[in-house]
């Protein structure tokens, strides 16, 4: 990885470890971001560390996920977040200011810095040449306390861009092409670093779309060099000082390289129910469409919306389509209000939605039964939209806008309604930070407000001498965090672990929480057995905290995704890798399993020994791999990261 931009930035931030792919390293974190759905828990955890103020360069708390406010819970969360931000020295971005990743790009990101965010799409910041990584809230809480972030030093894959996008083809199609090639699994501990002539043809928001959906491949982050385009973007955001020119060395050594000729790309779509299920739009044309939604942190920039509105100009959406637009930030909303874009949307029949996550997380706009929904966001997991039977296709704003007129999936190259809009913008962005609240320098008079929805940070149980219990759930491949811990209507319980825990695996096996809690109450362990890519998707640590609360002590899977694996360790759940498909098949639901002397086995795993899991029902012993860093081993031994760090901070 020598000479890569990834290496350069990591080197400047290295606290310990060797910068060699696969080695555990610790890096200093400059900036942090949280959003409300993961933030309440992160700040409760930060509070429990007993520090007066955050210790990193910049901490921002965004409210963008839970803005529906049905019931008092969301508003309680917002009040808590605002007051704790003032008390602890965190900038607070109020509801209405926009989606964290879009706003952070506009107002805070800085070239060459590190950013840790309690949201899996934090890598959007890679568009400004930042190492921007998604993690669980606890890791962010610790970064705010000045504790270095531990990660496995990634391998660096070069994605070399040549050529230039044709009209109608967009940054969304670039990242969908990347997903088509790399898929949604097998890319952990990897950085996608973009290089080549083609980079210069892409604006910062286009780069942001590409970095944003790298998260769907499971990479640690994605990274663009910071160049003249970056400088221009930052200056027009009135933040020229955030610029620093950075790029890889000419002779940089990459672990792998993949080339994309931008001029050869065509409009693509991710088909139900995975962002990796990519097909050309031309193969889908004619499919009747019930709903079209433009927005989310992937595609809601000013130019995204102007482009879509140009397609709609002077036209009306089909009678059979429900069409919504959610601008990514208040800046975008102000700009489209001033230049006529908003009017074009309204005239075309759009429903104007709040500048927030909204539909993307299934908070509202659930489609009708069996509907086809075209969206510009980044995830189309089954049921995430709030309608289990719906089929969600992820497309560019261009394809979305065109299809809203025709009422069916439309290939831009196979229609005679519009020609490719030529859209550019070189003026200044509207920089009104009126919905940002900066913390006072003296917070002694600030009271933290806790409504009844604000619970306590979770307590992990300690490690017993023997883990004995049952397989309480057996699931297949690609279980996402949306399967484990549903969001949407349940999102408002994020600050209340006992209530939220009742919904663990709600849409997979609604009786899971009772079964697991019953085992816990009998003093027995609960084990989850899964296939490949367990825990893909979101960074929500609730997908570990709530199972922990229900007594889950180990997840045994053929593979576990990076952020989720880290969250499991943070909350004292053993992430075990099952050795083979055959072993996976043999272990059955309700089997009685025993892990003898787990403490000794955890220690021995650091020397490469497998963990022995005795299956008393099947009469066989399985050898599973515990791939953890020494630090993670320590947290498992101490009963989770909070216990471990409290001891270390003493
Ligand atoms: C998502 O897109 O799944 C979310 C909602 O933004 C999550 C965070 C969360 O669950 O709160 C993410 O991507 O990490
Ligand atoms: Fe919000 Fe959707 Fe982006 Fe997650 S992916 S941060 S829910 S807009």
């Amino acid at each position: 990885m020598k000479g890569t931009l990834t290496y350069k930035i990591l080197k400047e931030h290295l606290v310990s470890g060797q910068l060699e792919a696969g080695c555990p390293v610790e890096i200093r974190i400059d900036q942090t971001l949280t959003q409300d759905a993961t933030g309440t828990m992160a700040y409760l955890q930060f509070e429990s560390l007993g520090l007066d103020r955050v210790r990193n360069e910049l901490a921002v708390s965004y409210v963008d996920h839970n803005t529906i406010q049905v019931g008092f819970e969301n508003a309680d969360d917002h009040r808590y977040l605002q007051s704790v931000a003032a008390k602890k020295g965190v900038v607070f971005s109020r509801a209405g200011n926009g989606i964290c990743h879009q706003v952070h790009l506009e107002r805070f990101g800085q070239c060459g810095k590190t950013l840790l965010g309690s949201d899996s799409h934090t890598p959007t910041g890679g568009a400004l040449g930042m190492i921007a990584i998604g993690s669980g809230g606890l890791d962010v809480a610790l970064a705010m306390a000045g504790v270095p972030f531990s990660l496995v030093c990634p391998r660096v894959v070069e994605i070399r861009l040549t050529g230039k996008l044709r009209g109608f083809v967009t940054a969304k199609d670039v990242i969908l092409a990347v997903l088509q090639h790399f898929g949604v699994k097998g890319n952990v501990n990897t950085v996608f670093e973009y290089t080549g002539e083609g980079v210069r043809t892409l604006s910062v928001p286009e780069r942001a779309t590409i970095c944003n959906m790298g998260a769907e491949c499971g990479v640690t982050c994605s990274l663009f060099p910071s160049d003249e385009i970056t400088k221009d973007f930052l200056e027009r955001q009135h933040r020229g000082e955030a610029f620093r020119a950075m790029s890889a060395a000419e002779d940089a050594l990459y672990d792998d390289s993949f080339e994309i000729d931008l001029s050869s790309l065509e409009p693509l779509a991710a088909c139900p129910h995975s962002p990796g299920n990519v097909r050309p739009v031309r193969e889908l044309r004619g499919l009747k469409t019930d709903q079209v939604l433009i927005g989310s942190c992937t595609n809601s920039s000013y130019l995204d919306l102007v482009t879509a509105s140009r397609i709609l100009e002077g036209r009306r959406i089909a009678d059979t389509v429900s069409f919504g637009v959610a601008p990514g930030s208040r800046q975008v909303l102000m700009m489209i209000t001033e230049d006529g874009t908003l009017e074009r949307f309204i005239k075309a029949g759009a429903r104007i939605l709040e500048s927030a996550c909204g539909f993307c997380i299934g908070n509202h706009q659930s489609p009708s039964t069996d509907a086809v929904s075209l969206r510009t966001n980044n995830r189309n997991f089954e049921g995430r939209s709030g309608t289990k039977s719906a089929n969600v296709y992820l497309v560019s704003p261009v394809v979305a806008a065109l299809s809203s007129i025709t009422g069916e999936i439309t290939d831009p190259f196979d229609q005679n309604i519009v020609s490719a809009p030529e859209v550019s913008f070189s003026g200044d962005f509207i920089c009104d930070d009126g919905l940002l609240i900066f913390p006072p320098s003296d917070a002694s008079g600030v009271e933290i407000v806790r409504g009844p929805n604000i619970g306590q940070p979770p307590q992990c149980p300690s490690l017993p001498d023997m883990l004995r219990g049952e397989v309480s759930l057996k699931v297949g491949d690609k279980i996402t965090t949306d399967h484990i811990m549903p969001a949407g209507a349940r999102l408002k319980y994020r600050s209340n672990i006992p209530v939220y825990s009742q919904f663990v695996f709600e849409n997979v096996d609604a009786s899971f929480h009772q079964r697991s809690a019953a085992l816990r109450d009998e003093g027995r362990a609960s084990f989850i057995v899964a296939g490949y890519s367990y825990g893909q998707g979101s960074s929500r640590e609730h997908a570990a905290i709530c199972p922990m609360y229900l007594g889950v002590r180990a997840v045994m899977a053929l593979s576990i995704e990076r952020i989720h694996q880290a969250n499991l360790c943070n909350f004292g759940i053993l992430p075990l890798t099952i050795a083979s498909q055959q072993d996976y098949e043999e272990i059955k639901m309700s089997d009685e399993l025993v892990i003898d002397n787990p403490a000794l086995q955890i220690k021995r795993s650091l020397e490469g020994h497998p963990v022995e899991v005795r299956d008393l029902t099947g009469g066989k012993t399985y050898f599973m791999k515990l791939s953890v860093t020494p630090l993670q081993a320590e947290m498992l031994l101490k009963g989770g990261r909070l216990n471990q760090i409290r001891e270390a901070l003493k």
Side-chain angles (χ1 to χ4, degrees), residues 106-107 231-242 331 427-433:
E106 293 167 357
R107 309 305 306 144
K231 184 165 184 264
D232 179 58
F233 173 83
L234 287 169
E235 281 171 355
R236 291 188 297 116
Q237 288 284 355
H238 304 173
R239 298 202 300 115
E241 69 290 349
Q331 178 182 84
D428 275 11
F429 292 94
I430 298 177
C431 300
D432 170 346
D433 290 333

Side-chain angles (χ1 to χ4, degrees), residues 175-215:
I175 188 60
L176 289 175
V178 171
L179 270 154
Q180 197 170 30
H181 180 78
F182 288 95
V184 293
K185 56 180 193 182
N187 306 305
V188 289
N189 301 328
T190 300
V191 172
F192 285 161
E193 192 171 304
Y194 290 85
T195 67
E197 289 296 293
V199 165
R200 270 194 258 141
T201 68
L202 299 170
S203 65
V204 168
E206 288 177 301
R207 296 174 187 185
T209 298
I210 294 170
C211 290
N212 175 283
M213 277 189 83

Side-chain angles (χ1 to χ4, degrees), residues 70 131 140 251 260 265 310 356 372 412 429 470 544 585 612 644:
V70 178
I131 294 269
V140 176
D251 58 352
I260 298 180
L265 294 181
R310 291 264 174 230
V372 167
F429 292 94
E470 261 180 38
E585 257 138 49
E612 291 182 24
Q644 180 260 337

Side-chain angles (χ1 to χ4, degrees), residues 364-482:
H364 66 167
Q365 298 288 329
S366 297
S368 53
T369 307
D370 298 330
V372 167
S373 175
L374 257 55
R375 300 172 170 220
T376 65
N377 56 293
N378 45 37
R379 291 186 172 145
N380 58 348
F381 304 140
E382 187 176 13
R384 181 177 161 103
S385 65
T387 305
K388 196 154 187 237
S389 66
N391 287 306
V392 177
Y393 293 76
L394 307 177
V395 295
S396 71
V398 166
V399 173
L402 254 176
S403 307
S404 72
I405 303 169
T406 58
E408 55 186 46
I409 297 188
T410 302
D411 175 6
F413 289 109
D414 179 38
Q415 49 83 35
N416 47 19
I417 305 169
V418 279
S419 48
E422 298 240 341
V423 174
S424 68
F425 169 68
S426 56
D428 275 11
F429 292 94
I430 298 177
C431 300
D432 170 346
D433 290 333
L435 286 191
L436 289 176
I437 300 180
F438 290 85
S441 49
D442 175 7
S444 50
V446 177
E447 284 296 318
I448 300 179
V449 189
R450 293 170 218 277
N453 194 43
I454 308 295
Q456 292 295 317
Q459 284 295 324
C460 294
S462 55
L463 199 63
D465 296 340
M466 178 174 78
L467 283 173
R468 181 174 179 149
E470 261 180 38
V471 176
S472 51
L473 189 72
K474 183 167 178 184
V475 286
D477 291 345
K478 295 191 197 166
I479 289 295
T480 71
T481 50
D482 281 293

Side-chain angles (χ1 to χ4, degrees), residues 35-38 65 101 118-121 135 216 297 357 360-361 378-379 381 384 481-482 485 487 491 494 500 537-542 563:
Q35 40 89 340
D36 51 299
T38 54
H65 279 60
H101 309 303
S118 60
D119 191 281
S120 65
H121 290 103
S135 75
E216 274 46 73
C297 57
C357 298
C360 174
I361 194 181
N378 45 37
R379 291 186 172 145
F381 304 140
R384 181 177 161 103
T481 50
D482 281 293
M485 206 56 267
L491 203 53
R494 282 284 174 95
Y500 200 29
S538 140
S539 69
R540 66 190 70 147
E541 60 189 356
H542 296 78
I563 304 181

